Amino acid sequence: MFGRGSLTPNEMTPTLTPARAAPLSGGQANASTPLLTDCLLVGHAKSAALVFAFEQWFALCLHMLQGNNFFLMPYRRNDGCVKYARSRPVSKRGPCVRKRIAWAWDTMCGCAKFAGSIGFYPTNENGQSRWAAFDVDAHDGDTERARRIAGKLFAITVEHPQLFVVLSTSGNGGWHLHLFTADFKARGEWSRLLRQIADMAGVEIKKGSVEIFPADTRGIGYAIRAPGTHNPKTDRCGEIAFESVSNAPFLCEAALLLGSSHKEITSLCTRLTTREENGGLPSSEVSPVFRGKNGQWRAQFAITAPQQRHEQLTRLVGTSFYQCRRAVAAENAKLQHCEANPTPVASLAGHLAEFNEAWNGMERQWLGTLTTRERIHFDELTDAQRAAFRVIRNWSRDPKNDSQDFGVSAASLARRLGLTTPGACKIRNRFCSLGVLRQTAPCVAGKKTARYAWLASEPAN
């Protein structure tokens, strides 16, 4: 069953009345189809590659895989025929899901040589799922009808705090509405819930018009593409109109473990899906989350009094921004809320949303401090490299450092970025090849860390 206070068919109606109503994109609001004002402007939809960091999207795909050893492979053959093939199980040497996820991501980024996509099945071998979806089709060309229906369904689901939502275009005029939970629910509970939502919205579930995943069918049922992926029928990628899942604690935890770029992810997806209850990798393979030097952030930013949460969160963001990666800082914010005594009035979701807002504000201010050359370098980097750029630049400007160079410990950098030490070494070497850093002294094992000079702010030759 859905947990206490959650969206159940019997309890749903009184708790999910949308309070803020407005049309989807201009015009007069229809009293019979109330829609939220703060998210659904179709013109604001963006590529998933601009909405999510790769680690977030990768973690989202693993969440949708939910332990299955097969997935959906949508593609277009050389003769133009579109196929939706189910992959063979890994035990029978089927394709690797991590490579398919990376391929789908590269396609959304526009850097794949050939288009690739991926989809997932909303049921595992235990007849359970931790996500569900509506597929609102526009096969008849009536995109306005599809938009209205998607808006009605969205207006109901987005009001419920236990559902994390992604609303996206499907790449062919239709819409996909994905719903996520942290825990598994029975397939039957999901299908009843989706039908109840559709009934509240006055929407008919009908094949070719509005379909639900999972449906009331036996077996694993049909799959649906991941949000924002390539549609082989139209050769277009979907776009994200609204999402609340990036703030979900379960996604933040999983994304934290994924490392820097998708090219460095090896068998992590397998380890995550086989250790879901532990949140990912075993403790022997992942260092504890970085919480400041000697773990001092736990006490320094602890919430120990009423009405102290906002102030302590602001202080945490102001300090962690210069010292670690965003996902690492988000994990600190989560721990800050969970360890608070007394318990804050604000929910964890609200706490993390406030964290994101504060972090984004810090980032806008910080970008304005970069020199022209630093900004050119920064814009060409991956997400993990950008975090390393920010941390190492801060080290280079330490007022306690009287020399022209400074130490860059790969082990310390790795903990701050949530990477392995070899991964941090690769970033450090990459910066040297780009002219961001120059090594001035090698490391001496067990004695001295390698030292570097910051070159990125110097005028180009």
Side-chain angles (χ1 to χ4, degrees), residues 174-423:
W175 293 80
H176 289 167
L177 178 61
H178 288 81
L179 316 177
F180 298 90
T181 57
D183 303 319
F184 285 97
K185 312 294 180 184
R187 175 180 56 196
E189 292 182 50
W190 273 117
S191 59
R192 288 195 301 272
L193 174 64
L194 297 180
R195 291 187 179 280
Q196 181 70 26
I197 293 172
D199 183 67
M200 291 174 63
V203 173
E204 180 185 4
I205 304 298
K206 181 179 179 182
K207 187 173 180 60
S209 176
V210 180
E211 301 180 43
I212 59 174
F213 302 79
D216 296 324
T217 57
R218 295 181 179 180
I220 61 170
Y222 295 102
I224 187 171
R225 287 182 293 111
T229 50
H230 179 262
N231 186 332
K233 290 184 178 180
T234 59
D235 196 27
R236 292 166 50 197
C237 290
E239 294 184 324
I240 309 299
F242 174 87
E243 66 84 20
S244 61
V245 73
S246 62
N247 292 329
F250 66 83
L251 193 69
C252 294
E253 292 173 5
L256 180 64
L257 301 174
L258 289 177
S260 57
S261 70
H262 58 273
K263 295 181 180 178
E264 296 175 359
I265 297 172
T266 54
S267 59
L268 183 58
C269 58
T270 302
R271 297 200 296 271
L272 276 174
T273 54
T274 56
R275 293 180 174 88
E276 290 165 290
E277 293 183 358
N278 294 328
L281 295 174
S283 59
S284 61
E285 297 182 39
V286 175
S287 299
V289 63
F290 177 75
R291 304 192 73 178
K293 188 176 181 180
N294 300 321
Q296 64 185 16
W297 290 354
R298 177 171 184 169
Q300 184 179 355
F301 304 117
I303 301 171
T304 59
Q307 300 181 347
Q308 191 186 43
R309 182 197 61 83
H310 175 76
E311 177 187 355
Q312 290 294 76
L313 176 62
T314 302
R315 293 179 61 217
L316 172 64
V317 172
T319 298
S320 62
F321 180 83
Y322 297 98
Q323 298 191 40
C324 67
R325 193 176 184 176
R326 180 174 188 148
V328 175
E331 181 66 10
N332 273 271
K334 178 196 170 187
L335 293 171
Q336 179 190 46
H337 187 280
C338 294
E339 296 166 355
N341 187 17
T343 302
V345 175
S347 66
L348 176 59
H351 187 71
L352 293 177
E354 193 172 321
F355 163 85
N356 284 330
E357 183 178 356
W359 187 279
N360 291 338
M362 287 285 296
E363 189 169 47
R364 285 192 294 270
Q365 294 179 17
W366 179 79
L367 288 173
T369 68
L370 300 182
T371 66
T372 300
R373 189 168 181 231
E374 284 177 329
R375 186 59 190 264
I376 291 174
H377 281 302
F378 182 80
D379 288 342
E380 295 175 348
L381 302 176
T382 65
D383 177 69
Q385 291 169 353
R386 289 182 176 185
F389 187 98
R390 188 176 63 250
V391 171
I392 297 175
R393 181 179 184 265
N394 183 55
W395 286 346
S396 74
R397 303 163 80 88
D398 186 351
K400 298 179 182 179
N401 184 25
D402 296 330
S403 60
Q404 296 296 317
D405 60 358
F406 55 97
V408 180
S409 167
S412 177
L413 184 62
R415 289 195 61 213
R416 295 164 186 268
L417 302 183
L419 306 181
T420 62
T421 300

Side-chain angles (χ1 to χ4, degrees), residues 21-30 33-38 40-41 147:
L24 192 61
S25 58
Q28 296 297 317
N30 187 331
T33 59
L35 300 175
L36 300 183
T37 62
D38 51 356
L40 277 183
L41 295 177
R147 183 190 64 83

Side-chain angles (χ1 to χ4, degrees), residues 7 12-13 15-18 34-36 134 149-161 163 165 177 179 193 196-203:
L7 191 67
M12 213 167 42
T13 304
T15 60
L16 288 185
T17 303
L35 300 175
L36 300 183
F134 286 98
I149 292 176
K152 292 178 183 180
L153 297 171
F154 171 81
I156 294 174
T157 56
V158 78
E159 284 291 303
H160 199 277
L163 291 177
V165 180
L177 178 61
L179 316 177
L193 174 64
Q196 181 70 26
I197 293 172
D199 183 67
M200 291 174 63
V203 173

Side-chain angles (χ1 to χ4, degrees), residues 82-101:
V82 174
K83 294 290 184 181
Y84 293 88
R86 174 178 164 180
S87 71
R88 292 181 297 174
V90 174
S91 59
K92 296 182 180 179
R93 296 186 179 182
C96 180
V97 66
R98 65 178 175 84
K99 292 183 179 179
R100 191 76 189 190
I101 293 173

